[in-house]
Amino acid sequence: MFSKILIANRGEIAVRIIRACREMGISPVAIFSQADEHALHVRLADEAYCVGPPPARESYLRIETIIDVARQAGVQAVHPGYGFLAENPDFARAVQEAGLVFIGPSWKAMAALGNKTHARHIARRVGAPVVPGSPGPISDPQELHRQARAVGYPLLLKAAAGGGGKGMRLVSSPDELDAAFRMARSEAMAAFGQEAVYIEKVIERPRHIEIQILGDHYGNVIHLGERECSIQRRHQKVIEECPSPLNDPTLRQRMGEVACRIAREAGYWNAGTVEFLVDEQKHFYFLEINTRLQVEHPVTEWVTGVDLVREQIRIAAGQPLSFRQEEIQWRGAAIECRIYAEDPDEDFMPSPGRIVRYRPPMGPGVRVDSGVYAGWEVPLDYDPLLSKLIVWGWTRTEAIERLRRALDEYVLDGIRTTIPFYREIVCDGEFLAGNLDTGYVDRFFRRRSLEESDRALRDAALIAAALHARQSAASDQTVDHARSTESLWKTQGRWALLNSRL
Ligand code: MV4
């Protein structure tokens, strides 16, 4: 086993990896940018090295600098976390060429699966259901129209090198096709340095379900079931669940087996996630593979009892998987809310600044993975994820009850966060019913603005009624004490007291 690991990341995920290292008796080494000098992951690590100025390009994305730090610190392995260099095969290769172990898949598997047309090809080879579309990238306009006719409208143009919805374009009719193609290609070039674009048929009202897989260096691949990730806004996940509320054990087993077959065919090892779209008839289609640990991994950890980061480290050290497929069991329900430094009242604008008070929820069934503390200033330079609140219950209903309680307990003052947004979601009927698809957040906001105008009307009616009642009460009062034998001091005094309470 390793005695020292470099964590090439920041924030809550760096803290999560440090915790796994501590439990395994491994010394964690951190890197940080000038903006993160006082960050929590730097405080918790045994050693920490500055890798450059605040912009990620000049710090957390600097392959050479990070490899130099790894050498200098004398680590045996590098954990990339998620984001930054986690899915960059050049980084994985540089780590290997420096004589160190990359805690993740081989750079070759990463490179192959990073190309989505290639990944679709691998999936088709093992008979996995793949979203219908062009067999490969499209380069000439004639072929474009031929393939588009074959797939049918509406269709999506996607960047072969892309992922996560970046560089995606919806095309509703043939006359939009050429312009959309040119745009998609230049966007793909700008975003990913490759202009390759391919076609996919549009799946209507899809759900986004992903399967967690683990593979070791000896050809063993197992799956840890699904996560429901349909609650997203602008291709950013906000709430994730395990199991999916629409799950049935048969669907889980079928998707799991398909995911494992694709991974074996790709020569995949370490942790990975196979993404699927599921339509209203519960048909599922392979979408892409994420070759990293995911943000939402804790919901799977809680329901299966498997520590994914520990497994990642064990696998990278050459140990076989700790579990066989038959040993994996799913118990209860876990839900994660991603707490972002964003203002939900200002269209989720980033809200950096100093955290003045921080009191995370605790107690039964609550886990908080976070990278912040009171007094720390959240920098503007990176992803605004502050903290992840994860709850567990025997049933989804119990998990939601805990989530409501934990959100009410959560104190994070000084900056705006998405906590108030989640407090509303956990009371929303559609969420409670598990009626989730990728259009959920938009529907939630539409419904809410309708309810808001209803509320404004109701408030106006209440004010009018209160004023009316007060006026008539005041006139009754005049009549009353004219007839009354009681002291005016008493009746007027009571009236004043009553008014002060209104
Ligand atoms: C799709 C799709 C419908 N049909 N592909 C967006 C993120 C990326 N991972 C894939 N995405 C989609 N691909 C086909 N063929 C709809 C989406 C999509 C979506 C998917 C998952 C979660 C939220 C979404 C929101 C809008 C669109």
Side-chain angles (χ1 to χ4, degrees):
M1 184 41 70
F2 312 120
S3 61
K4 210 170 179 186
I5 287 178
L6 182 88
I7 299 156
N9 215 300
R10 65 179 299 281
E12 69 83 20
I13 195 63
V15 173
R16 166 71 186 89
I17 298 161
I18 289 171
R19 288 182 170 138
C21 288
R22 292 278 175 229
E23 290 173 17
M24 299 174 81
I26 298 167
S27 172
V29 178
I31 59 168
F32 62 99
S33 74
Q34 283 161 12
D36 273 340
E37 208 181 323
H38 303 289
L40 185 61
H41 75 281
V42 175
R43 290 188 169 191
L44 295 179
D46 284 345
E47 295 165 43
Y49 297 82
C50 185
V51 288
R57 263 172 298 102
E58 297 169 42
S59 50
Y60 294 107
L61 292 173
R62 282 262 150 122
I63 296 179
E64 296 302 315
T65 313
I66 295 169
I67 301 281
D68 284 346
V69 167
R71 279 214 194 85
Q72 196 190 328
V75 304
Q76 298 99 41
V78 178
H79 197 307
Y82 54 70
F84 295 126
L85 296 167
E87 292 181 276
N88 185 329
D90 295 337
F91 180 58
R93 189 176 184 170
V95 170
Q96 192 191 332
E97 283 170 359
L100 308 170
V101 178
F102 179 79
I103 303 175
S106 70
W107 64 266
K108 284 179 187 163
M110 268 167 78
L113 295 169
N115 182 302
K116 297 209 300 190
T117 55
H118 200 132
R120 280 161 59 85
H121 195 74
I122 293 170
R124 271 194 300 265
R125 273 212 306 266
V126 295
V130 170
V131 185
S134 60
I138 295 171
S139 45
D140 82 276
Q142 278 198 335
E143 196 200 342
L144 173 73
H145 280 270
R146 199 154 10 92
Q147 297 283 356
R149 254 196 314 280
V151 172
Y153 292 88
L155 57 79
L156 279 167
L157 293 176
K158 293 188 176 185
K166 266 177 272 166
M168 210 168 74
R169 271 208 123 70
L170 181 70
V171 185
S172 326
S173 69
D175 50 287
E176 295 170 20
L177 189 58
D178 290 303
F181 183 61
R182 278 193 299 275
M183 297 272 274
R185 275 168 79 84
S186 70
E187 271 176 27
M189 189 45 135
F192 311 109
Q194 287 179 41
E195 56 182 2
V197 160
Y198 71 102
I199 294 178
E200 267 185 24
K201 176 181 138 72
V202 172
I203 308 294
E204 311 271 359
R205 277 177 79 106
R207 283 186 298 133
H208 175 120
I209 294 186
E210 56 188 32
I211 301 283
Q212 176 69 53
I213 55 164
L214 279 176
D216 63 18
H217 294 181
Y218 311 100
N220 304 305
V221 179
I222 63 170
H223 75 86
L224 301 185
E226 80 284 6
R227 289 185 289 260
E228 167 71 63
C229 301
S230 295
I231 305 191
Q232 308 196 0
R233 59 171 291 289
R234 296 193 199 141
H235 302 308
Q236 192 185 49
K237 292 168 188 162
V238 293
I239 295 178
E240 303 98 344
E241 301 189 33
C242 176
S244 165
L246 289 123
N247 164 67
D248 58 76
T250 326
L251 186 65
R252 171 185 292 158
Q253 200 193 335
R254 281 168 50 223
M255 292 176 79
E257 276 168 12
V258 165
C260 290
R261 281 214 304 275
I262 297 171
R264 279 187 204 106
E265 180 73 12
Y268 197 88
W269 63 61
N270 216 283
T273 296
V274 185
E275 293 191 346
F276 295 93
L277 289 180
V278 182
D279 69 14
E280 288 172 300
Q281 290 79 45
K282 289 197 176 182
H283 297 129
F284 63 89
Y285 304 93
F286 168 77
L287 206 54
E288 58 190 83
I289 303 194
N290 299 321
T291 58
R292 58 163 193 274
L293 181 72
Q294 303 253 133
V295 178
E296 58 273 24
H297 75 277
V299 292
T300 301
E301 291 191 318
W302 213 335
V303 170
T304 61
V306 175
D307 181 331
L308 285 166
V309 179
R310 174 187 283 262
E311 284 304 305
Q312 283 194 291
I313 295 170
R314 284 175 42 95
I315 291 164
Q319 299 184 5
L321 291 181
S322 307
F323 306 91
R324 287 193 305 269
Q325 187 66 62
E326 312 82 73
E327 291 175 295
I328 302 298
Q329 284 178 10
W330 291 269
R331 202 180 78 139
I335 306 177
E336 174 182 280
C337 285
R338 298 190 187 186
I339 316 274
Y340 290 106
E342 290 176 344
D343 187 348
D345 292 332
E346 291 293 337
D347 199 26
F348 295 86
M349 280 270 288
S351 168
R354 189 175 302 281
I355 295 172
V356 297
R357 204 155 30 159
Y358 182 62
R359 205 171 62 225
M362 294 177 196
V366 173
R367 164 175 171 183
V368 178
D369 280 19
S370 108
V372 306
Y373 59 89
W376 186 59
E377 193 168 330
V378 181
L380 184 61
D381 307 86
Y382 315 105
D383 184 273
L385 182 67
L386 299 170
S387 162
K388 302 181 310 202
L389 168 60
I390 308 106
V391 297
W392 181 89
W394 280 105
T395 60
R396 183 171 189 264
T397 305
E398 192 178 277
I400 292 171
E401 286 163 4
R402 284 213 164 117
L403 185 53
R404 240 181 247 147
R405 185 269 293 173
L407 285 165
D408 284 343
E409 254 180 53
Y410 213 134
V411 179
L412 203 166
D413 292 341
I415 56 174
R416 307 304 301 271
T417 76
T418 50
I419 294 171
F421 167 64
Y422 296 126
R423 287 185 184 139
E424 288 188 50
I425 296 268
V426 292
C427 294
D428 177 55
E430 230 190 303
F431 173 72
L432 300 183
N435 194 1
L436 313 174
D437 62 69
T438 50
Y440 171 80
V441 176
D442 285 342
R443 285 199 303 278
F444 171 80
F445 277 112
R446 267 201 302 277
R447 210 167 41 237
R448 198 176 75 141
S449 70
L450 284 179
E451 278 164 15
E452 238 159 44
S453 55
D454 281 357
R455 252 202 307 281
L457 214 68
R458 188 201 61 192
D459 289 351
L462 276 173
I463 291 166
L467 282 172
H468 177 78
R470 201 183 159 188
Q471 267 172 355
S472 61
S475 54
D476 288 352
Q477 191 72 21
T478 321
V479 176
D480 256 354
H481 56 72
R483 290 186 197 148
S484 173
T485 56
E486 268 196 296
S487 143
L488 270 178
W489 285 107
K490 258 187 174 173
T491 53
Q492 291 303 85
R494 278 190 201 125
W495 185 235
L497 189 68
L498 192 67
N499 272 343
S500 75
R501 284 183 188 157
L502 280 176

